[in-house]
Amino acid sequence: AFLDLSGHNEIKGVWKGSVTLPCVYVPVQDFMQQTLTWTVVHDQSSGTVFRRDGSGDHVLLSKYRDRVSVPKDTPGNVSLHILNLEMADRGTYTCQVTWTASNSSLIVKEITTKVEVVKDAVTKPVIVAGERGLTVPAGARTSLSCVASGSPPISYRWFRSSPGGRARLLGHQAELAWDSPQPSDSGTYYCEAQNR
């Protein structure tokens, strides 16, 4: 069974991540790859994602533009690489390759791969508490760090609470630093961490 395509029946990709749909064959002398097409069937629609022929590579569905590619310099490897997966990318993808033989006859083979897109478990940020009741000498550079675990990206905000319960926003970095702290900098500071 020469010129058979091999791949996977089903692949799970992570939302916003990337995935490769394998489609590979062993090149045979006297058989030239003529065309390669990757098509997809979604719940409501279908179409050609990618086509490679004598005139080059073409991405035919606009929502895949700049997100899909097929290796160029590896004969026999026509796998589809998809970047920045969307939930709407789930569906059944078909890799179809056409070869011409030296006697001009055509051979066509195809394989299909089902693609699922899953959302990774997302976790809220948890702040690792720093030391409380920190005493530092006046004039010596010092800093407070806020470290949080959880799903990236995490953004930070440092506040200083002042008498009367009003909090003042001091910065958006994980670290709050003083080059030369003064007695007037004494007080209660707190950090807030946030993700999507």
Side-chain angles (χ1 to χ4, degrees), residues 13-161:
V14 176
W15 180 61
K16 295 295 178 196
S18 63
V19 74
T20 297
L21 313 190
C23 185
V24 181
Y25 65 89
V26 178
V28 174
Q29 212 178 349
D30 298 335
F31 286 87
M32 282 288 295
Q33 181 181 309
Q34 206 60 25
T35 58
L36 157 74
T37 55
W38 274 99
T39 52
V40 65
V41 178
H42 297 301
D43 296 338
Q44 263 80 48
S45 63
S46 63
T48 301
V49 177
F50 181 95
R51 180 180 168 88
R52 174 174 288 170
D53 54 29
S55 66
D57 290 357
H58 313 279
V59 178
L60 293 131
L61 283 175
S62 58
K63 73 171 193 147
Y64 288 99
R65 204 146 287 154
D66 301 324
R67 291 200 298 128
V68 297
S69 61
V70 171
K72 266 194 163 61
D73 308 315
T74 46
N77 182 359
V78 287
S79 306
L80 184 71
H81 190 57
I82 309 176
L83 299 171
N84 202 7
L85 276 173
E86 299 293 342
M87 296 308 283
D89 290 339
R90 61 168 61 138
T92 303
Y93 290 75
T94 300
C95 171
Q96 186 190 73
V97 181
T98 305
W99 298 269
T100 47
S102 45
N103 63 3
S104 300
S105 64
L106 287 179
I107 291 185
V108 182
K109 293 279 172 79
E110 60 180 45
I111 56 165
T112 60
T113 306
K114 190 167 175 243
V115 174
E116 276 299 327
V117 181
V118 293
K119 288 201 173 177
D120 242 3
V122 180
T123 54
K124 284 182 176 176
V126 177
I127 294 177
V128 182
E131 43 186 315
R132 301 211 165 113
L134 192 63
T135 307
V136 295
R141 189 188 188 282
T142 190
S143 67
L144 294 172
S145 291
C146 189
V147 183
S149 61
S151 302
I154 297 176
S155 61
Y156 296 94
R157 295 197 298 172
W158 273 103
F159 296 91
R160 179 181 183 176
S161 51

Side-chain angles (χ1 to χ4, degrees), residues 173-192:
Q173 254 57 50
E175 185 184 53
L176 184 64
W178 293 265
D179 286 331
S180 178
Q182 299 306 311
S184 58
D185 291 316
S186 297
T188 305
Y189 295 82
Y190 68 91
C191 157
E192 184 180 274

